[in-house]
Amino acid sequence: MDDEPLKDWAERRDAKIGRLRAVSVVPGNGPRGSHLRPEAPRAIERWNGHSWEPHGFAANLAEAKAIIYAETKEPPAPGPVPKPLGTGTGTGTGKHRKPQAPRTHGDGRAPA
């Protein structure tokens, strides 16, 4: 097995201590994504190495981002945008593609 040494795992875990996140404060099973209801209040939570603990409160998403990204002054840049599914030409070479059979006329002759 390729188990990671405990020392490496502990270093990765400890590097995340102090990380902040914003959680929407909505009743019941309401929207969970940050982009949904940006005007909703947010609870700011801090990772202590074992669980998320209350850290603060923000009136909306913009205020929450200002608290979370206070050190960097701006949120992280988004990564590359993936190509939407189904926009290809269908001529890909991936393993899931079946090889295209040569076209023939109904009598078995190849087209001219």
Side-chain angles (χ1 to χ4, degrees), residues 83-94 96-98 100 103:
K83 184 177 175 183
L85 295 175
T87 59
T89 60
T91 59
T93 58
H96 64 286
R97 302 281 182 183
K98 292 182 180 178
Q100 297 294 324
R103 292 181 162 209

Side-chain angles (χ1 to χ4, degrees), residues 28-45:
N29 292 330
R32 302 289 292 178
S34 65
H35 64 286
L36 301 173
R37 295 187 54 195
E39 74 285 350
R42 304 291 201 265
I44 307 297
E45 297 178 336

